Amino acid sequence: MRENTALHWIIDEDRLFTDMADSPDNPCTACGGCCAHFRVSFYCGELSDGLGGMVPVELTSKVNDTLACMKGTEHGHGRCIALVGELGRPGVGCRIYAQRPSTCREFSPWEADGQPNPECQQRRQALGLPVLAALSPEQAAPVLPA
């Protein structure tokens, strides 16, 4: 990981999100492992047919009265319907990145302290990709408010 990685940490309602859409060094755009492994479930209020939600409802399945998930991920180990491209290859990405659910926003390749996320590392290794280096202290997440 180069020192100039454009990693933006966003704090919203005491939750930490990452946004790397504008980063040329975004490791996710040559991986996609998490998008084809985990069930991507989230509060149904995030759906576009709800009050202020933005996740396209047509790309989701109902889990229960309060949860939805991205189609393809209902049981885990399935590819998210919003994922485009080939896993582990440059250009893989989310076609609804700006509208992705909070679960995806919260999942970061790095922990708040700048250490690589172990679950991300496992997914990368499963695809034959190199593990990620730790972030510098300057790139680590800001401290959440108490």
Side-chain angles (χ1 to χ4, degrees), residues 17-125:
F17 299 96
T18 56
D19 185 0
M20 297 184 296
D22 297 329
S23 174
D25 296 330
N26 181 347
C28 302
T29 59
C31 182
C34 62
C35 307
H37 180 77
F38 298 110
R39 181 176 85 178
V40 182
S41 56
F42 52 93
Y43 175 59
C44 62
E46 294 183 48
L47 294 170
S48 60
D49 67 349
L51 299 173
M54 60 185 178
V55 179
V57 67
E58 64 275 10
L59 302 180
T60 67
S61 296
K62 181 178 178 175
V63 174
N64 59 37
D65 289 341
T66 57
L67 291 177
C69 72
M70 295 302 296
K71 286 184 179 177
T73 73
E74 290 90 342
H75 305 288
H77 302 283
R79 185 183 172 103
C80 178
I81 191 172
L83 185 64
V84 294
E86 186 179 340
L87 292 177
R89 308 290 294 173
V92 69
C94 179
R95 67 183 172 111
I96 62 163
Y97 189 83
Q99 299 167 290
R100 69 196 188 285
S102 59
T103 305
C104 302
R105 293 174 189 275
E106 290 177 327
F107 190 88
S108 173
W110 293 279
E111 302 289 343
D113 66 0
Q115 292 302 307
N117 178 332
E119 292 177 329
C120 175
Q121 298 288 56
Q122 290 174 353
R123 303 284 50 88
R124 290 180 65 79
Q125 288 178 313

